[in-house]
Structure formats: structure tokens, C-alpha cells
Amino acid sequence: MKRIVLGPVRFYQRYISPGLPRRCRYHPTCSEYMVDAVNYHGAFKGFLMGLGRILRCHPFIQGGIDYIPLKFSLRRNHDEEYHGPYDRKEK
């Protein structure tokens, strides 16, 4: 199931994104966030989280650092003390 979800994302990252100017207002980018969310939370929840992130990425938002949260959430993760989804420790 992960391959089905990540296939279009990988295609976008490899063939479409390099030809476009950098537009994502977040770090990591929306496509990287989708990949991390699917790998960390599974295909269904990760896809929903990635889709929510894409919908949040628009010109009227400030952006910034937004790593995937440890618990499933469609909201932005404001906990910036961590450096990524895989080097976090449970609180």
C-alpha cells in the first residue's frame, strides 16, 4: 500500500519538482513530509497527514519548521525542538 501512495510523490520529486522554482513554505517540503508521514504512520494516516500539509501550504501562511508529529494529527506540529521524525524520543 505504501508503494501506491508514495509512487506519485516520488515521481513528482524526481521529474516535476526539479523543473519548478522552490515554493514550499515549510521545512521539510510537502513532498518530503508526505514520505516521512507514510513511512512513520502508515499509508492511510500518512496520506491524510500529507494531504492536510499540502492544503496548509499556501501564500497566506507563514510556514516554517513542521516535522511530522509522533501522534496522528492533521494540524501543524509546533514542537520545533526535534530535528526530524526519526531522531525523536518519546516524552
Side-chain angles (χ1 to χ4, degrees), residues 40-51:
Y40 195 76
H41 291 285
F44 183 71
K45 287 181 179 179
F47 175 76
L48 290 177
M49 291 174 75
L51 186 61

Side-chain angles (χ1 to χ4, degrees), residues 30-90:
C30 294
S31 60
E32 291 171 347
Y33 184 93
M34 173 83 81
V35 170
D36 288 344
V38 168
N39 286 328
Y40 195 76
H41 291 285
F44 183 71
K45 287 181 179 179
F47 175 76
L48 290 177
M49 291 174 75
L51 186 61
R53 167 70 177 274
I54 290 169
L55 294 175
R56 288 196 304 268
C57 191
H58 54 79
F60 303 110
I61 194 99
Q62 183 179 0
I65 295 175
D66 181 26
Y67 295 114
I68 61 169
L70 291 174
K71 294 182 181 180
F72 174 74
S73 173
L74 296 177
R75 294 180 173 209
R76 180 174 177 183
N77 182 15
H78 289 285
D79 191 3
E80 296 180 9
E81 86 180 60
Y82 298 113
H83 299 288
Y86 303 110
D87 60 342
R88 297 192 232 190
K89 294 180 177 63
E90 294 280 342

Side-chain angles (χ1 to χ4, degrees), residues 2-22:
K2 286 183 182 181
R3 290 177 122 177
I4 294 170
V5 173
L6 294 180
V9 177
R10 295 288 189 199
F11 180 84
Y12 168 80
Q13 287 178 329
R14 186 168 192 163
Y15 298 108
I16 298 173
S17 180
L20 299 173
R22 181 167 162 76

